[in-house]
Amino acid sequence: MIKAEAHREGIREVPEPEEFLRFTLGQRLEHWVLVFTFLALVTTGLPQKFHEAAPSLWVISALGGIDNVRLFHRIFATLFIFESSFHLGAIAASVALKRFTPSMIPTPRDFLDAFDWLRYSVGLSSRRPEFDRYDFRQIFEYWGIVFGAVIMIATGLMLWFPTYVTRVLPGEFVAAAKETHSGEALLAFLVIVIWHFYSVVFSPNVFPLDQSMINGKISRERMIEEHLREYMRLMGIKELPAHLSSEPAAGGTAEKPPGG
Amino acid sequence: MNRRKRGALSRLLLGACAAASLGLVFLRAAPVAQSAPPPSPPAQDPNASCLRCHLRPEIAMTFPNGDALSLTFNEEAYRSSVHGDKLNCLDCHERNRRYPHPLPEVSGRREYSQAQYELCKRCHFKNYTLTLDSVHFEALSKGFTYAPLCTDCHTAHAATPIRESRTQIAQACSKCHEGIYEAYSSSIHGSALREENPDVPVCTTCHGVHNIPSATTASFRLDSLNLCAGCHADKELMDKYGISSNVLKTYLDDFHGKTVGFYQKEGTDVWPDQPVCSDCHGVHDIKAVDDPESRVIKENLLTTCRKCHPDATVNFPSAWLSHYEPSLDKATLVYLVKTYYRFLIPFMVGGLVLYIMVDLWRLARNR
């Protein structure tokens, strides 16, 4: 961010940086903690859902039996709850310190972006939407994770402490919690495996791996391509250069980096 | 085997001749009262010489330790037993060929039975071998005097095919397991058995016959699911009584069953703390689920849950769906959640896959 801060003042004569800092070390660490807990929870959870499948049995045996698996699942669940609370706390702190930039709050523009992106992708429109720090897909995924986490933590705790839950709620809620926990888990797992893995590993744009969550950096080229509005804010550019504002019709020439 | 048979045969012939000659003498000496059966044994009966004494009601003996034993033979019962037309006295009581009979070299009646029962394995070797794996044999080898021998269940002289009447089986076991028999007789299974219902389990259905395993091991506990499912997952049989045959599947899909199912598959000998069928339904005293005494009828379910969940309150038992698959009228909320994800997941996955395909198509076009 520090480099970018310097450029926010918009001294246009300074040569543009080749790389931008996309994620701070703290954000990256937080992400990998999340990756680790998520995978651990999936590994110890899904075999319980698909208890009749052979691979499930293999996983459970490898981890030393169902009792161990349950114990591990609850340990990682605790870690996950702490991680989520930390995330919430960090946001609360940044709001309190008036340093909060609402980059993940969905706006009407994001919905328009989604619609425009679809039209652009199938060739109905030649206007390519430009994105800020996070595009509509990333925002959607973020809130998916947030709601997913809320559902998983709530239902998980209900399954962990059924006798406390049923002091207040009908017993059927426990059974419903189990069904929810199980369905939501599978959904989250599939979204991550299909979509997130595509975005950060398999997509031709980033293959073999988008490294911004490792080294925290993003190239200027990708910054302009994928986060143009953020780029302009950082560089203090008010208006788009001509070669960026008007794209040729879809199916036309390649999307060249600027200055090419 | 053949040699033994031949030996027995020649002995039989000898015995028969002796008996016949004795019988003839006897018949001449005392004219028979025609009007009074019991009929005297036929002249060729190889057992006649034994029966001469052993049909008398007063004949008895006392063992060195004071045990009294009547030596009166119930011929009618023996004749109608499975051995009645196959074995003669001396086939089992070989040592008594001599007269006066040598006294048994044991101190008491029980010891005599224990010494004698080994004879059964001469013909019933397979079943004898099976008993060696049983809890009964284990007790016997620990020196438990009253551990059952062949003759305790089958009797010595009146052994009938025990399959003929299933109540007989329960009664045979009840000689020692009286408390369990009482509980069983009042259970849904036992009370139906009294009407000779051919479908209900008797003792041996669950416990085996000769190789009765201990019922207090982890492996028996785990296997008990399949034991119950043997009948209760049999649709045809359960339809006959209007009972669900889906009980095993619904159990295995739920909290308790998943864990126990894994224990089963792991093949561990961990004692499952999670409940198996018998923990909620009872073991020998299983009642119909609508019986007011049933442990799983709604009124009693909380008490049953509290055995493991002591802090459970009145709402708690309905967390268990009572072996029902969720549907619109049973466990509606669960059914709705299930349906929601059943549609949402394919919809979501389809959408994401479609997105990826469109994205790849765009990239290919723009290359």
Side-chain angles (χ1 to χ4, degrees):
Chain A
M1 272 330 232
I2 298 139
K3 269 190 204 169
E5 289 292 341
H7 289 281
R8 185 167 293 188
E9 302 315 312
I11 310 158
R12 296 298 315 280
E13 289 73 33
V14 172
E16 291 184 3
E18 279 308 304
E19 285 175 327
F20 288 81
L21 180 70
R22 180 143 176 83
F23 297 114
T24 62
L25 182 64
Q27 288 171 319
R28 280 175 272 155
L29 280 176
E30 198 189 343
H31 182 75
W32 289 109
V33 168
L34 180 67
V35 169
F36 174 71
T37 34
F38 181 84
L39 288 180
L41 285 166
V42 164
T43 309
T44 51
L46 279 189
Q48 294 185 54
K49 175 174 170 65
F50 297 106
H51 59 107
E52 282 171 346
S56 305
L57 191 59
W58 184 87
V59 170
I60 294 213
S61 304
L63 292 172
I66 181 68
D67 292 326
N68 280 1
V69 170
R70 289 246 162 87
L71 178 68
F72 295 153
H73 194 76
R74 285 168 186 181
I75 290 170
F76 291 121
T78 311
L79 188 60
F80 181 68
I81 291 171
F82 273 112
E83 211 289 305
S84 310
S85 315
F86 170 80
H87 185 78
L88 210 67
I91 292 170
S94 73
V95 170
L97 295 171
K98 304 242 174 6
R99 285 173 45 192
F100 182 66
T101 43
S103 53
M104 275 294 185
I105 308 286
T107 60
R109 182 179 175 130
D110 292 304
F111 291 96
L112 283 176
D113 280 351
F115 185 66
D116 287 347
W117 184 261
L118 180 66
R119 289 181 41 189
Y120 169 72
S121 292
V122 297
L124 285 177
S125 147
S126 57
R127 205 184 66 77
R128 190 177 187 281
E130 288 112 21
F131 304 116
D132 206 315
R133 179 161 168 74
Y134 297 111
D135 66 39
F136 69 94
R137 290 160 296 194
Q138 291 161 324
I139 291 174
F140 175 83
E141 204 176 322
Y142 173 81
W143 287 101
I145 298 270
V146 169
F147 283 120
V150 168
I151 291 176
M152 291 311 284
I153 291 171
T155 54
L157 288 172
M158 285 170 80
L159 298 180
W160 199 344
F161 305 106
T163 49
Y164 296 98
V165 171
T166 49
R167 277 176 202 177
V168 187
L169 295 170
E172 208 189 312
F173 276 61
V174 176
K178 175 169 164 282
E179 207 55 60
T180 311
H181 198 79
S182 151
E184 187 68 27
L186 183 59
L187 183 69
F189 173 69
L190 290 172
V191 168
I192 295 297
V193 165
I194 297 173
W195 209 30
H196 189 67
F197 280 19
Y198 172 76
S199 313
V200 300
V201 177
F202 296 108
S203 167
N205 280 342
V206 298
F207 192 84
L209 181 67
D210 182 346
Q211 293 184 24
S212 59
M213 210 28 112
I214 294 171
N215 57 25
K217 294 176 179 139
I218 184 168
S219 66
R220 185 166 58 95
E221 193 185 326
R222 276 189 64 205
M223 194 70 178
I224 290 168
E225 166 116 7
E226 298 170 28
H227 304 284
L228 183 65
R229 287 170 46 220
E230 183 190 21
Y231 171 82
M232 285 162 54
R233 254 192 312 110
L234 292 177
M235 304 304 295
I237 304 170
K238 294 282 181 287
E239 270 185 45
L240 280 182
H243 65 270
L244 287 179
S245 62
S246 60
E247 286 284 333
T253 58
E255 300 166 7
K256 283 186 300 186
Chain B
M1 199 70 195
N2 265 341
R3 240 196 10 238
R4 186 186 293 156
K5 257 192 185 156
R6 266 210 301 282
L9 207 65
S10 56
R11 280 203 302 275
L12 281 182
L13 280 171
L14 260 176
C17 291
S21 51
L22 275 170
L24 283 172
V25 170
F26 181 73
L27 283 174
R28 263 197 218 122
V32 185
Q34 291 298 330
S35 59
S40 57
Q44 299 83 358
D45 185 358
N47 302 322
S49 48
C50 306
L51 298 180
R52 266 223 330 264
C53 301
H54 285 279
L55 289 179
R56 291 192 211 148
E58 73 279 6
I59 183 172
M61 70 174 285
T62 310
F63 283 96
N65 71 356
D67 289 346
L69 172 64
S70 162
L71 298 173
T72 311
F73 178 66
N74 182 341
E75 196 191 359
E76 208 177 320
Y78 182 70
R79 289 288 170 213
S80 55
S81 81
V82 284
H83 296 138
D85 57 347
K86 293 186 183 65
L87 298 179
N88 297 312
C89 308
L90 293 178
D91 290 334
C92 299
H93 300 282
E94 164 65 26
R95 35 181 306 133
N96 296 336
R97 176 178 303 284
R98 290 166 40 218
Y99 189 84
H101 302 315
L103 282 172
E105 295 144 3
V106 288
S107 59
R109 190 179 163 174
R110 188 64 190 165
E111 290 78 0
Y112 179 75
S113 300
Q114 283 172 347
Q116 279 291 99
Y117 102 99
E118 292 275 330
L119 286 168
C120 304
K121 76 177 176 205
R122 291 194 315 193
C123 300
H124 298 283
F125 192 71
K126 183 163 162 263
N127 284 345
Y128 171 82
T129 315
L130 286 173
T131 61
L132 301 182
D133 294 328
S134 70
V135 274
H136 289 157
F137 184 81
E138 196 186 330
L140 184 68
S141 55
K142 281 181 186 156
F144 184 67
T145 321
Y146 284 95
L149 315 162
C150 310
T151 48
D152 290 320
C153 305
H154 293 277
T155 71
H157 295 127
T160 53
I162 212 156
R163 285 180 217 86
E164 267 180 18
S165 159
R166 303 167 90 239
T167 42
Q168 226 187 2
I169 297 172
Q171 276 150 7
C173 302
S174 76
K175 284 192 224 164
C176 301
H177 301 279
E178 204 185 340
I180 289 176
Y181 177 77
E182 295 293 314
Y184 171 77
S185 325
S186 64
S187 78
I188 181 80
H189 293 148
S191 51
L193 176 72
R194 281 207 297 268
E195 294 141 32
E196 285 289 342
N197 176 315
D199 294 332
V200 290
V202 294
C203 317
T204 50
T205 316
C206 303
H207 292 283
V209 187
H210 293 107
N211 54 334
I212 298 168
S214 164
T216 53
T217 58
S219 65
F220 188 89
R221 189 171 158 79
L222 281 176
D223 287 345
S224 67
L225 307 184
N226 306 341
L227 211 56
C228 303
C231 295
H232 281 274
D234 177 341
K235 190 164 181 344
E236 207 177 315
L237 187 60
M238 290 302 111
D239 283 350
K240 197 167 156 184
Y241 298 95
I243 308 175
S244 163
S245 58
N246 205 16
V247 287
L248 182 66
K249 184 187 174 295
T250 47
Y251 166 79
L252 289 175
D253 281 342
D254 206 273
F255 305 98
H256 304 141
K258 263 190 192 180
T259 309
V260 176
F262 273 120
Y263 284 153
Q264 266 193 332
K265 286 180 234 162
E266 288 164 24
T268 53
D269 46 5
V270 184
W271 177 268
D273 286 327
Q274 287 71 14
V276 295
C277 317
S278 54
D279 292 304
C280 305
H281 291 274
V283 187
H284 300 108
D285 56 346
I286 301 172
K287 298 280 194 290
V289 290
D290 52 3
D291 185 319
E293 280 186 35
S294 164
R295 296 183 204 188
V296 293
I297 196 170
K298 211 176 180 70
E299 293 77 6
N300 302 337
L301 195 51
L302 182 56
T303 316
T304 304
C305 295
R306 278 180 175 162
K307 288 200 297 181
C308 304
H309 303 275
D311 54 348
T313 49
V314 69
N315 283 349
F316 183 74
S318 53
W320 159 247
L321 302 181
S322 308
H323 290 292
Y324 285 109
E325 293 270 17
S327 67
L328 264 180
D329 24 338
K330 291 277 179 197
T332 319
L333 184 64
V334 184
Y335 176 76
L336 290 177
V337 170
K338 219 174 169 153
T339 313
Y340 169 71
Y341 282 108
R342 189 177 297 151
F343 286 102
L344 179 66
I345 291 175
F347 175 75
M348 201 71 142
V349 168
L352 298 181
V353 169
L354 200 64
Y355 162 81
I356 291 171
M357 281 160 59
V358 166
D359 203 49
L360 288 170
W361 182 42
R362 172 186 66 85
L363 288 165
R365 274 198 336 252
N366 290 350
R367 177 160 293 169

